[in-house]
Amino acid sequence: MKEISITILDGDEKRELKLESGTPLSRLVSQDPDFGQMIVAAKVNRRLVELGRKLYKPAEVEFVTTENPIGFDMYKRSLVLLMLRACENAFPQKKIQVLYSLGQGYFCTVREKDGTLVALTQEDLERLRGVMLELVAKKLPIEKKVVTTHEAVKMFRERGMEQKAELFRYRRASRVNLYCMDGYEDYFYGYMLPSTEGLSRFDLTTYDDGFVLVVPKRNSLDMGDGYKAPDRLYTALRKAEDWGHQLGISGVGQLNTEICKGHLNDLILIQEALMEKQIADVAEEIHAKGRKLILIAGPSSSGKTTFSNRLAVQLRAHGLNPHPIAMDNFFKDRVDTPRDENGQYDFESIGAMDLELFNKDMELLLEGKEVEMPRFDFTIGEKKFEGKMLKLKPDDVLVVEGIHALNPASTYALPSDSSYKIYISALTQLNLDEHNRISTSDTRLLRRIVRDARTRGNNAEQTIRMWESVRRGEERNIFPFQDEADAMFNSALIYELPAIKIFAEPLLFTVPSDSPEFYEAKRLLKFLEYFLGIELSSVPNHSLLREFIGGGCFDI
């Protein structure tokens, strides 16, 4: 047997090995069940591959663990496959649908073969959990199988998976990769673990009319102190799901069918009307409660700026006069800005905000006094006072936007009954199919790639590179305070990904193949392949989508 040389990369260290040609990567991996991470994939000559890949030529190999977002997604995806396989054993007449991410887990529903929604008891879930753990103990292989697209559609139709069948009606490729576990076959968007070994970290808990598959924490694979569902987020997600049902669309295949039928214009008008009604309802509540300070926060690329503008229009319709205020103008001077663990300025920390000045100014304004408003000059890192005076009249309201706006520490000196807090995020109501959800983060990343290229001169590689840092900041500074909100606004549009596709694809194709960001660009390109593109003239100029693709009526 031919022998080949392999270089194992581990940070700055290198280790040389001699292997027989054809050795699978999984042979090089020894998992420690007590260690807080698992090796789940590898980069061979910088290309991501599954551990089942065999090595035939000399190569550099760098292993990917669950600490990496890519590896953690593989772990969660494999958990879903494990759960679906176990359901076939425990409840052969029932089908699980994976709907959306809900905190530290996935919200799922269960239906009988005839489509009737049923609620599993906690006792049922313990039975399902037991079967899952039995499959884990057997260390069953997770194998990839290639079939024709026609065969896949036929199989999914026979098994009652209409969303999957409809999705693949629009697939250009002639073949499909299915993943198989102990005789159960299914399609998943993305790579899998090589076996069920190590998939014991999970939990199942009832919630509303479904249940949550609770997943471990990424950095430690620890289950934490118990699952607590974000109820406000769930309400918003469920409302988005209901909107999809009103439009007759819950999967990407159904959306593509509506586009093919020429129903796009009606779809856009209905979606925009639903969103405008939601904004009008928020404005009505603000007016009815007599709130003078409106605080708006949300993660990156949620559409906060367009939302603020559209909310201002609705507030004016109620006789109010809104004054926009950016919390960014209340940064501390650069010399006083805290630094992170790497010695870099930490602009996303609440410690970077001059909260004493912010609270003092807001307090004076609410008391009806005149205040000189600052403007932060980012080029010199200092606040400037240029004579911009503000004094509130009886019908005036303040609209404050910033990543820390919902953090109670930001408004420590202000009376709670003076403010109205709004959390905004793009809570995607579409799924690819019954078992493959669309990540809210993916939607926002695509929005940001398109907007950054158009307005900031950043290419897709740069935007992808900084995305993980952006997400860490959101986890620390925004998500923990979403339940502080009086209203949760969903900025996702059911038709937006077919529109963004036209702009995002050329940008993603520019990411070099030797770039560390290449895999993520390739993954997003594959994701966009599921959508049919649309003609953009039907998108209204006041649409929130225009904040990202351009052509909007607001000065942003």
Side-chain angles (χ1 to χ4, degrees), residues 328-493:
D328 284 0
N329 285 322
F330 289 86
F331 270 121
K332 288 178 178 177
D333 290 349
R334 190 69 39 83
V335 67
D336 298 319
T337 302
R339 296 178 182 267
D340 62 20
E341 62 275 11
N342 300 314
Q344 302 298 314
Y345 287 117
D346 190 358
F347 297 114
E348 294 187 343
S349 164
I350 195 169
M353 305 303 301
D354 188 344
L355 295 180
E356 183 178 355
L357 178 64
F358 176 75
N359 278 267
K360 185 184 80 170
D361 284 359
M362 296 303 108
E363 196 170 23
L364 290 171
L365 287 168
L366 292 174
E367 291 172 355
K369 297 177 182 176
E370 190 173 45
V371 174
E372 184 178 9
M373 302 303 293
R375 179 183 68 83
F376 194 84
D377 188 330
F378 287 90
T379 58
I380 63 173
E382 293 178 2
K383 288 187 287 294
K384 286 189 171 184
F385 293 88
E386 301 166 326
K388 182 182 178 182
M389 308 303 293
L390 179 61
K391 182 178 181 180
L392 297 187
K393 298 175 183 177
D395 291 327
D396 288 356
V397 292
L398 300 170
V399 181
V400 178
E401 177 194 328
I403 66 171
H404 300 291
L406 300 191
N407 187 336
S410 295
T411 52
Y412 66 88
L414 304 178
S416 58
D417 59 357
S418 67
S419 65
Y420 187 92
K421 297 182 177 182
I422 303 170
Y423 177 81
I424 174 173
S425 189
L427 306 174
T428 309
Q429 59 264 59
L430 270 180
N431 281 340
L432 280 179
D433 56 45
E434 291 90 344
H435 304 144
N436 289 275
R437 47 177 287 276
I438 292 178
S439 165
T440 293
S441 175
D442 281 353
T443 301
R444 292 191 293 110
L445 175 54
L446 287 165
R447 284 179 172 186
R448 181 151 180 170
I449 287 170
V450 171
R451 186 194 62 193
D452 282 6
R454 183 176 63 83
T455 65
R456 302 179 183 179
N458 290 349
N459 59 36
E461 184 181 18
Q462 291 170 310
T463 302
I464 293 171
R465 183 177 299 137
M466 65 182 177
W467 188 242
E468 178 63 15
S469 174
V470 171
R471 292 293 311 281
R472 284 197 300 270
E474 293 169 351
E475 294 282 353
R476 186 170 61 246
N477 300 313
I478 299 175
F479 297 149
F481 305 106
Q482 60 189 7
D483 282 342
E484 296 285 333
D486 297 288
M488 190 169 285
F489 179 80
N490 183 7
S491 70
L493 294 154

Side-chain angles (χ1 to χ4, degrees), residues 157 166 169-170 247-249 252-267 532-534:
R157 284 243 153 85
E166 194 75 359
R169 274 188 60 200
Y170 301 96
L247 297 169
I249 298 170
V252 173
Q254 293 168 310
L255 175 60
N256 289 336
T257 297
E258 291 300 299
I259 292 171
C260 288
K261 288 180 177 178
H263 296 167
L264 175 64
N265 195 56
D266 286 348
L267 187 66
L532 297 180
I534 63 173

Side-chain angles (χ1 to χ4, degrees), residues 7 14 184 239 271 323 344 481:
T7 302
K14 293 184 178 182
Y184 177 84
K239 187 173 183 179
Q271 171 78 96
H323 294 274
Q344 302 298 314
F481 305 106

